[in-house]
Amino acid sequence: MPYKDKEKKKEYDRLYRLNNKEKVKQIKKEWTEQNKEKVKGYELKYSQSEHGIKNKTIKRWISRGILCFDFDLLYDIFLKTTHCEYCNVELTTGLPRTLTTKCLDHNHSINDRFNVRAVLCNWCNINDVLSTN
């Protein structure tokens, strides 16, 4: 059913997906099964993209209990921080983790609405956690 108006086409597609959820789900499942290598390639490409790395990092922070009003801003601050806020050592990133690997230090108390304290090296983060417990 060709549409000249893109908005009408979008609305038609939206309603079709809404009214045929199981059929659409089955089509997607079959396509994914038949195109495993393509899917794997898309996932690999996305996970290595700037957006994919950012989303993975933020999801990891959330899973570790970090609370924040603006994760985009927090991520930008994290990226721009080049030195430990306690000992001033130059921070490194990536694997394997070392004593100078960049860490986001946070308060583990559930009562805090914003519990991020600082961007630290792994050494200061470990020692700070040990000294507060």
Side-chain angles (χ1 to χ4, degrees):
M1 183 175 224
Y3 284 96
K4 293 187 182 207
D5 185 359
K6 288 183 181 181
E7 291 304 315
K8 284 184 180 179
K9 172 73 169 126
K10 278 184 180 180
E11 183 61 18
Y12 173 82
D13 290 346
R14 186 186 72 77
L15 289 174
Y16 179 84
R17 287 189 307 272
L18 189 65
N19 294 327
N20 298 284
K21 286 182 182 181
E22 288 303 315
K23 185 176 180 179
V24 170
K25 186 177 179 181
Q26 184 63 31
I27 291 169
K28 284 182 181 181
K29 184 177 180 180
E30 289 171 5
W31 185 91
T32 301
E33 279 296 314
Q34 294 168 0
N35 296 282
K36 285 183 179 181
E37 289 303 313
K38 269 187 184 180
V39 171
K40 201 174 193 179
Y42 293 146
E43 289 172 352
L44 182 62
K45 189 176 178 181
Y46 176 75
S47 70
Q48 294 173 350
S49 71
E50 189 176 316
H51 193 258
I53 293 168
K54 178 180 178 179
N55 279 345
K56 182 179 177 182
T57 302
I58 291 172
K59 284 180 181 180
R60 188 174 62 245
W61 288 343
I62 292 169
S63 74
R64 293 181 179 173
I66 292 176
L67 304 172
C68 183
F69 294 113
D70 188 351
F71 277 104
D72 291 327
L73 177 62
L74 180 61
Y75 185 76
D76 288 341
I77 292 168
F78 182 78
L79 285 183
K80 290 176 184 173
T81 303
T82 59
H83 290 78
C84 176
E85 295 179 23
Y86 281 5
C87 71
N88 206 34
V89 69
E90 188 171 350
L91 297 170
T92 59
T93 58
L95 295 173
R97 291 181 68 83
T98 64
L99 294 177
T100 60
T101 301
K102 190 185 290 192
C103 297
L104 190 63
D105 182 42
H106 67 287
N107 185 346
H108 293 259
S109 172
I110 297 173
N111 297 331
D112 286 347
R113 296 291 294 146
F114 182 79
N115 61 357
V116 175
R117 293 188 286 216
V119 179
L120 306 176
C121 66
N122 196 28
W123 175 254
C124 290
N125 189 41
I126 291 168
N127 288 327
D128 185 50
V129 170
L130 292 175
S131 67
T132 56
N133 287 337

